[in-house]
Amino acid sequence: MSYVDGFVAAVPKANREKYLEHASAVAAIFKDHGALQVVENWSDDVPQGKVTSFWLAVQAKDDENVVLSWVLWQSKEARDAGWAKVMEDPRMATQEMPLDGKRLIYGGFQTILEV
């Protein structure tokens, strides 16, 4: 089964284009090292909860939007090998994140259902 790296982050609304440029550049690097798909999503209809929500999870401020992203890999083994190559890729050193990386949520997920 496939493997997914998931990300949730708060991005300043004013940085939407910068974020898209950054995400496009990083997506190309991931694809070059084995990622099958990279998906970036800008929040549009995401409720703000009182106990839990995407907004609360990343401590989003009024001038920020929530981004939900994922990278699809063929397997965990492909992901582990791909990530190692991504981190060694010199293009990554030139990337400047247009968001507060301390509030980025990240994790790797085993796919348990694909329809």
Side-chain angles (χ1 to χ4, degrees):
M1 283 250 180
S2 61
Y3 196 83
V4 174
D5 283 314
F7 309 85
V8 180
V11 177
K13 292 175 184 175
N15 284 358
R16 180 180 168 140
E17 290 307 312
K18 282 183 187 178
Y19 180 81
L20 189 54
E21 289 172 19
H22 167 77
S24 296
V26 171
I29 297 168
F30 274 85
K31 295 277 289 191
D32 285 349
H33 297 298
L36 301 175
Q37 182 183 42
V38 178
V39 179
E40 296 287 341
N41 302 279
W42 188 260
S43 62
D44 178 52
D45 186 13
V46 179
Q48 295 200 25
K50 294 184 184 199
V51 178
T52 62
S53 71
F54 283 109
W55 298 95
L56 291 170
V58 295
Q59 301 172 1
K61 301 171 185 164
D62 290 341
D63 65 339
E64 294 177 323
N65 245 34
V66 175
V67 174
L68 170 66
S69 310
W70 62 85
V71 179
L72 179 65
W73 302 91
Q74 183 175 356
S75 65
K76 185 169 191 309
E77 295 76 23
R79 177 264 204 163
D80 291 346
W83 262 105
K85 292 175 184 173
V86 166
M87 291 296 106
E88 294 171 3
D89 193 303
R91 294 174 290 175
M92 286 299 285
T94 65
Q95 294 302 312
E96 189 173 316
M97 287 202 327
L99 57 96
D100 180 359
K102 291 178 270 186
R103 293 184 286 140
L104 171 72
I105 297 171
Y106 159 82
F109 297 84
Q110 294 179 347
T111 301
I112 59 172
L113 176 67
E114 275 185 83
V115 179

